[in-house]
Amino acid sequence: MIPCWRYLRSSKSVLGFVFVASVIWLLLDMAVLRLSVRDVNTRLLKERVIRRQDLTRRQDKVTPLMETFLEESVVKQEVSDKVSDGVDVQPVGLYRRRKDKAAVKDNQNRRGNPSKVKPDSVAKEPVDLQNGVEKNDSVALSRRAVNAKIIEPAKAAPNTSVRVFNQPRAVKEQPPVQELPLKEDNQKEPPNQGARNTSSAKDEKLQLQNNSIVAHPVKASVHQVLSLDATAAPRDPDAVGQFGQPATVPSEDSVKMKQRWNEGFFNVYLSEQIPLDRAIPDTRPEICAGNVVHDELPSTSVILCFVDEVWSTLLRSVHSVLNRSPPHLLKEIILVDDFSKKRYLKENLDHYMANFSKVRIIHLQERQGLIRARMAGAAVATGEVLTFLDSHVECNVGWLEPLLERIYLDRSKVACPVIDVISDQDMSYKMVDNFQRGIFTWPLTFGWNALSDEYVKKNNMTAADPIRCPVMAGGLFSIDKKYFYQLGAYDPGLEVWGGENMEISFKVWMCGGQIEIIPCSRVGHIFRGQNPYQFPNDRRKTVERNLARVAEVWLDEYKELFYGHGYRHLLDNIVSDIGDLSQQIQLRAKLKCKSFKWYLDNVYPELEAPLVKAAGLVFNRGLRTCLSVHAGVLFFETCDLSKQSQHFNYTWLKQIRQEDMCVDHNEGRLILQPCSVERTALHWLHKSSKSKLPQHLVAENGGKQACMEVIKSSKVHILHLAACNVDSLFQQWEFTNYYAQ
Ligand code: UD2
Ligand code: MN
C-alpha cells in the first residue's frame, strides 16, 4: 500500500494510472457485454450487467420512481452477491426500498440535488462483501463464485458518476446445483423462515393417503433471496413504460391504438413500444429483503400456455422469467401454443426462442383449452416443480425462490405469488395491497378478500408471512410435480377456460395439501376485460359446464348451494351435458380426500354455506297450524317442534323436503314424491326478494304460477294449488328458521 501511495503522489502518475484504469475498465465492460448478448440462458449470472446510469447527467429526466429503481437495482445486486452459506447473512440495511411516503419525499428532495445521490453509499457496502468473502471458507467461496459476481467497490471512486460493472474475473460457469458442496445439517434455521423450523421440517413426512411424501432432507444452509435482474443490454431510462411507469399514447396515435386494442383487450399498441426487458418497481414488502431461503431449492419448469397471445406481452413474460430467475433453479420454460391462429406464433416464435436454450415450445395440433394445454406442458417438464404462468405477466425480482422455498419445506404446499396489476390501459406496473387471499362466493365465483386487521394482529402476521388461501386465482402458482400427479393433475374434462382454479384448490385442500400466497413473490399480470381468443363453443356454457363438473365431484351435499345460487338450469340436462365424471369420483375416493364440509369448517369457515334456505315447522298463517306427514300423506296438526313429522327443509333447489320426499302437485292436489333434482315441478318460490308474493309458496309450472293453499274444513283441511291471492292468509306460510334469502 505505502509504495503505491508514493507512486500516486506524483500528478503525472495519477493521470497515467487513471488512463490505464479507464482503458482496462472499458475493455472489461465490452467483454461482458459481448458475452451477455449471446446466450442469456446459460450465462445469466454472468450477464448481470446492471448499469447505474449516470444520474448526474440525467438528473432532469430521472423521476423519483426511476431513481428509486436505479438505486435499488445496484444495491440489490450487491445483496444478491452476498449469497450466503448461513454464516454471514447480514440482513439488509442494504435494501433501501422507498415505497413509503417518507422515502418518496426523500427521493423528491434528492431530485434537484445531484450530489445527494450518493454514489459512495452504493460503493461502500461491497467492501464488507469483500471482507465477507475473505472471511469465509472454501465452500462459501465456491458457492459465491457460482451464484454471484463480486463487485469491487474500491475501484469505483466515490463522487464520480455511479457506474457499477460486472467483474468478469469473478464469474464462473454455472455447475449443476447438486454438485454444490452442502453444509452440515446442524446449522440453524433462519429466524425468518415463516411457519416451520428446521427440526420439525426435517423429520416431517407428509402423508398423502398411502403414498407418503417425504419432505426434502432439510439442510440448514441458506442464502439471502437472490434479486437478479439481468439484461442483455443497458436499459434506457427514457424508454416508454420503463420502470413500470404509466405510458401514454400520443393523441395522433389514438386511432391506431384503438384498432389494435381487440388483439389482446389491452393497450397492445403501447405494449409494443415498451422494452421487452423493462425494469419494474420492486413491490415486495420491505421485510422480504431480509428473507433467506435454502441453498438446495428444487428446480422448476415454468409453463406458459397461450392462445393467440400478443407478441410483445408473450416475449416480455418470457424475458421476465429468464432475467429474474436464478438460472440454476430454472430448468426450462415450456411454451405451450394452444393451436393459435396467429402466424407470428409459429416459425417467428420458434426462431426467436431458438436463441434461448432453456425455452422449449410445444405447438398443439388441436385446440385443447388452457387446462389440457397446461397438462401437455407438465407432461414434458423435467423440473422438480411445475410453475404455471399466464402468457401476459412480468415476474418481479426475487419472485421464484420464495415460492420454491415453501415447496422445499413442505411438498404438499402450493405456492402462489401475489398478483400485481399491469394496467391494461397504460401498462403501468402497480403494487396491490398485501394481506389479500383468494376466496369464492356462491356459485363458485372467484374473488379477493382482504384479511381483517384483527386477523392480522391476532395471528401476529408480518407482511412477509404466507397467506392461506381457500382458493387460488388459477393462473400463477408453483406445485411439486410429483404431488401434482399424485393429485391426478387437472380434470382433463374441463374445457377451454374457467373452473380449473376451483378444481385444483378443492383437490389440494381436501386431499392433504395447502394453498398459500407468498407476499415476497410478486408477478404482474394484465387483467383484461374480455378473453381475446375464441371459445370453440359458447363461452358461458363452457364455464358453467366446467363449474358443474367441479361441483359434482367435490362439493358433496353443498353442490345444492352451487346450483341454487345461479345454475339451477343446469340440472335439467346435467347428465348429458357435463360428461363422464367416474374417473374423477374414483380419484377422490382413491386419494381418500376429506369432505367438503371438512373444507368449509377448516379452510374457509367464513363462508356462509347453510345447507338449506329455511327449515323447521311450516306454519300456515290462516289455519294457524303446521304441515305434517302421516303414512306418506300431507295433513295439518297443532304445531309441535318435537315432532319430526312436522319438520321440513326449504332447500337451495327450492324443494320443500322431508328426508327423501318432496312436496309435489298432481292435478292441483299436493302430494309427497321422492325428490329428484330434475323434476322442475318440485320447484317452489318462497321469500324471493323479486316476488310480489314473498310469504307464499309459489309453484312455477310451465311459466304459470299457482300458490299452495289450505282450505279450512270441519273435517279434513284440504291442501291444494290455487290461483295466487296476495291477501289470503291461507296462502301464507312461514318456516321456523330462515338461513338465507
Ligand atoms: C384467470 C387466471 C387464468 C385461469 C382463469 C380461469 C390468473 C392471473 N389468471 O383468468 O390462469 O386460471 O382465470 O380458467 O389467475 N389459454 C390457452 N388456451 C385457451 C384459453 C386460454 O392456452 O383455450 C391461455 C391464455 O392465453 C392465457 C392463460 O391460458 O395465457 C389464461 O387465460 P386468460 O389470461 O384469458 O385468463 P384470466 O387471466 O382471465
Ligand atoms: Mn390472464
Side-chain angles (χ1 to χ4, degrees):
M1 252 352 210
I2 295 165
C4 180
W5 275 115
R6 268 192 211 133
Y7 177 71
L8 288 177
R9 257 183 226 136
S10 124
S11 62
K12 265 191 196 165
S13 310
V14 169
L15 276 176
F17 176 79
V18 168
F19 177 74
V20 171
S22 309
V23 170
I24 293 171
W25 200 264
L26 201 69
L27 288 172
L28 288 176
D29 185 26
M30 285 168 65
V32 170
L33 269 176
R34 279 174 77 184
L35 270 179
S36 63
V37 178
R38 285 206 127 161
D39 182 0
V40 173
N41 281 325
T42 51
R43 297 175 192 272
L44 265 178
L45 278 175
K46 292 179 182 178
E47 295 163 6
R48 285 182 294 146
V49 187
I50 295 205
R51 282 164 196 283
R52 176 120 176 141
Q53 302 298 326
D54 185 339
L55 283 183
T56 328
R57 186 163 46 82
R58 296 185 176 277
Q59 198 60 32
D60 51 340
K61 288 174 186 157
V62 174
T63 65
L65 182 65
M66 290 176 184
E67 194 179 307
T68 305
F69 180 84
L70 284 172
E71 179 164 310
E72 282 183 4
S73 63
V74 176
V75 173
K76 280 180 194 152
Q77 178 80 0
E78 293 163 13
V79 172
S80 62
D81 291 335
K82 280 191 107 172
V83 174
S84 161
D85 347 276
V87 182
D88 74 337
V89 179
Q90 293 296 328
V92 214
L94 286 172
Y95 275 73
R96 291 180 203 86
R97 298 181 37 85
R98 298 185 179 271
K99 270 193 331 251
D100 54 322
K101 280 182 198 150
V104 170
K105 202 164 168 227
D106 185 6
N107 262 326
Q108 279 160 355
N109 291 340
R110 290 139 130 271
R111 232 177 131 185
N113 185 352
S115 67
K116 284 196 178 172
V117 182
K118 284 192 210 141
D120 49 355
S121 71
V122 174
K124 247 181 226 158
E125 303 295 346
V127 179
D128 300 340
L129 175 66
Q130 195 77 344
N131 292 339
V133 173
E134 280 160 15
K135 261 194 302 202
N136 289 323
D137 56 21
S138 58
V139 174
L141 273 170
S142 69
R143 188 169 294 120
R144 264 198 198 95
V146 167
N147 288 321
K149 71 170 186 52
I150 295 166
I151 298 169
E152 295 203 338
K155 290 185 183 170
N159 298 325
T160 55
S161 63
V162 186
R163 305 190 61 178
V164 179
F165 294 87
N166 251 3
Q167 295 299 314
R169 74 167 177 77
V171 178
K172 288 205 184 130
E173 195 59 55
Q174 176 85 29
V177 72
Q178 56 269 37
E179 285 172 27
L180 285 174
L182 298 174
K183 281 253 159 192
E184 291 302 316
D185 268 3
N186 58 4
Q187 297 219 357
K188 276 187 197 147
E189 180 74 1
N192 56 354
Q193 266 313 305
R196 291 153 43 125
N197 64 30
T198 307
S199 51
S200 65
K202 188 177 169 187
D203 301 330
E204 186 158 353
K205 287 194 170 68
L206 302 164
Q207 296 297 325
L208 178 77
Q209 318 320 324
N210 299 327
N211 311 311
S212 63
I213 303 171
V214 183
H216 272 282
V218 174
K219 306 277 186 226
S221 54
V222 295
H223 61 267
Q224 212 147 32
V225 167
L226 298 170
S227 303
L228 306 184
D229 195 358
T231 58
R235 286 198 174 109
D236 172 7
D238 300 327
V240 179
Q242 188 61 280
F243 310 110
Q245 301 231 61
T248 46
V249 177
S251 54
E252 63 268 25
D253 291 347
S254 67
V255 175
K256 278 189 219 151
M257 183 202 88
K258 278 184 196 141
Q259 279 169 350
R260 305 215 49 201
W261 187 273
N262 288 6
E263 286 174 33
F265 287 104
F266 65 94
N267 202 331
V268 175
Y269 183 72
L270 204 50
S271 174
E272 289 194 350
Q273 293 162 45
I274 295 173
L276 295 175
D277 66 349
R278 71 162 169 182
I280 46 176
D282 179 354
T283 52
R284 293 173 295 178
E286 195 155 354
I287 189 172
C288 298
N291 265 9
V292 290
V293 292
H294 285 86
D295 291 351
E296 302 83 17
L297 294 180
S299 66
T300 189
S301 301
V302 173
I303 301 171
L304 286 97
C305 302
F306 60 90
V307 55
D308 293 328
E309 184 60 71
V310 168
W311 175 259
S312 57
T313 39
L314 177 62
L315 265 53
R316 202 171 292 115
S317 305
V318 172
H319 282 294
S320 77
V321 176
L322 287 172
N323 292 352
R324 299 193 181 112
S325 310
H328 65 289
L329 297 178
L330 181 65
K331 194 78 194 283
E332 64 210 343
I333 299 178
I334 301 173
L335 300 179
V336 186
D337 166 19
D338 189 11
F339 200 52
S340 298
K341 293 191 180 121
K342 306 263 191 239
R343 286 184 59 196
Y344 59 77
L345 293 170
K346 307 298 171 188
E347 289 80 26
N348 285 5
L349 185 67
D350 294 347
H351 190 249
Y352 183 91
M353 292 300 169
N355 294 313
F356 308 103
S357 60
K358 281 196 180 172
V359 181
R360 304 165 65 186
I361 305 183
I362 304 172
H363 294 287
L364 298 177
Q365 295 310 304
E366 220 175 288
R367 178 78 177 277
Q368 294 294 337
L370 81 90
I371 295 110
R372 289 194 296 271
R374 278 183 193 162
M375 293 210 275
V380 299
T382 58
E384 293 162 84
V385 169
L386 306 172
T387 298
F388 294 103
L389 296 176
D390 276 9
S391 50
H392 33 267
V393 297
E394 284 171 73
C395 299
N396 214 319
V397 287
W399 74 288
L400 185 58
E401 284 181 307
L403 300 178
L404 300 179
E405 174 74 4
R406 295 306 286 171
I407 295 168
Y408 172 83
L409 291 176
D410 182 338
R411 294 230 157 206
S412 68
K413 279 192 171 161
V414 176
C416 311
V418 171
I419 309 180
D420 283 330
V421 172
I422 302 170
S423 163
D424 57 344
Q425 305 288 326
D426 61 21
M427 294 298 288
S428 59
Y429 187 102
K430 297 176 182 169
M431 179 171 73
V432 299
D433 287 347
N434 237 35
F435 296 132
Q436 301 239 42
R437 60 181 191 152
I439 53 145
F440 71 89
T441 50
W442 299 109
L444 298 186
T445 309
F446 177 80
W448 298 104
N449 166 242
L451 299 182
S452 68
D453 290 347
E454 296 83 57
Y455 182 90
V456 172
K457 261 191 210 138
K458 198 176 125 207
N459 292 286
N460 236 346
M461 282 178 74
T462 73
D465 285 341
I467 296 168
R468 281 160 52 102
C469 274
V471 290
M472 66 160 87
L476 326 178
F477 65 97
S478 294
I479 185 168
D480 179 82
K481 189 170 70 185
K482 275 194 202 137
Y483 184 60
F484 181 68
Y485 282 113
Q486 277 167 359
L487 288 177
Y490 284 116
D491 168 8
L494 300 175
E495 300 288 341
V496 191
W497 181 98
E500 93 296 337
N501 56 331
M502 298 290 153
E503 198 233 355
I504 193 107
S505 302
F506 297 149
K507 196 184 269 185
V508 166
W509 279 113
M510 288 163 65
C511 310
Q514 293 180 45
I515 295 171
E516 293 179 341
I517 286 182
I518 312 300
C520 292
S521 171
R522 323 284 293 204
V523 177
H525 168 260
I526 308 178
F527 290 89
R528 287 99 47 105
Q530 287 183 50
N531 303 99
Y533 40 79
Q534 300 277 312
F535 275 66
N537 296 309
D538 180 78
R539 181 188 188 279
R540 187 179 61 87
K541 283 193 179 145
T542 305
V543 176
E544 284 179 359
R545 180 184 174 281
N546 286 351
L547 288 174
R549 281 183 76 87
V550 175
E552 287 291 330
V553 177
W554 295 100
L555 262 49
D556 304 329
E557 65 274 31
Y558 291 86
K559 71 184 181 192
E560 290 203 0
L561 278 91
F562 165 75
Y563 290 115
H565 272 89
Y567 290 120
R568 201 178 174 285
H569 60 279
L570 291 183
L571 292 167
D572 299 341
N573 298 310
I574 192 129
V575 182
S576 56
D577 272 7
I578 69 172
D580 180 22
L581 288 172
S582 53
Q583 295 224 330
Q584 299 308 307
I585 291 166
Q586 269 170 30
L587 177 82
R588 185 176 158 181
K590 192 182 110 203
L591 294 175
K592 299 196 178 72
C593 306
K594 297 193 179 84
S595 67
F596 196 72
K597 179 168 186 336
W598 175 89
Y599 167 85
L600 289 178
D601 291 346
N602 293 280
V603 182
Y604 191 16
E606 301 82 5
L607 181 70
E608 299 246 329
L611 271 172
V612 292
K613 293 183 89 172
L617 307 180
V618 185
F619 173 73
N620 183 276
R621 288 184 157 188
L623 203 59
R624 305 201 67 75
T625 54
C626 285
L627 197 60
S628 184
V629 178
H630 185 70
V633 178
L634 289 163
F635 71 106
F636 286 88
E637 62 181 7
T638 309
C639 298
D640 182 350
L641 258 176
S642 69
K643 285 192 174 167
Q644 279 308 308
S645 57
Q646 292 187 16
H647 280 253
F648 291 84
N649 285 331
Y650 178 55
T651 74
W652 287 102
L653 299 180
K654 300 196 170 73
Q655 298 160 331
I656 301 166
R657 181 172 184 149
Q658 191 174 87
E659 294 174 0
D660 292 340
M661 301 301 277
C662 285
V663 178
D664 198 350
H665 50 86
N666 185 11
E667 293 175 359
R669 303 293 294 238
L670 292 175
I671 52 168
L672 281 173
Q673 288 273 30
C675 299
S676 141
V677 286
E678 285 104 31
R679 176 97 169 85
T680 42
L682 295 178
H683 173 187
W684 297 95
L685 287 182
H686 181 59
K687 294 267 171 163
S688 156
S689 53
K690 287 176 207 146
S691 169
K692 288 181 187 140
L693 303 159
Q695 306 295 336
H696 294 53
L697 284 164
V698 184
E700 281 193 326
N701 211 354
K704 282 189 200 152
Q705 289 197 336
C707 286
M708 190 188 288
E709 181 183 73
V710 59
I711 301 172
K712 195 172 178 178
S713 153
S714 54
K715 292 183 189 159
V716 183
H717 309 305
I718 298 166
L719 185 62
H720 75 143
L721 273 186
C724 293
N725 174 350
V726 183
D727 302 321
S728 169
L729 289 178
F730 291 95
Q731 289 190 9
Q732 294 182 17
W733 307 84
E734 193 143 346
F735 285 79
T736 314
N737 297 304
Y738 287 87
Y739 302 104
Q741 281 297 316

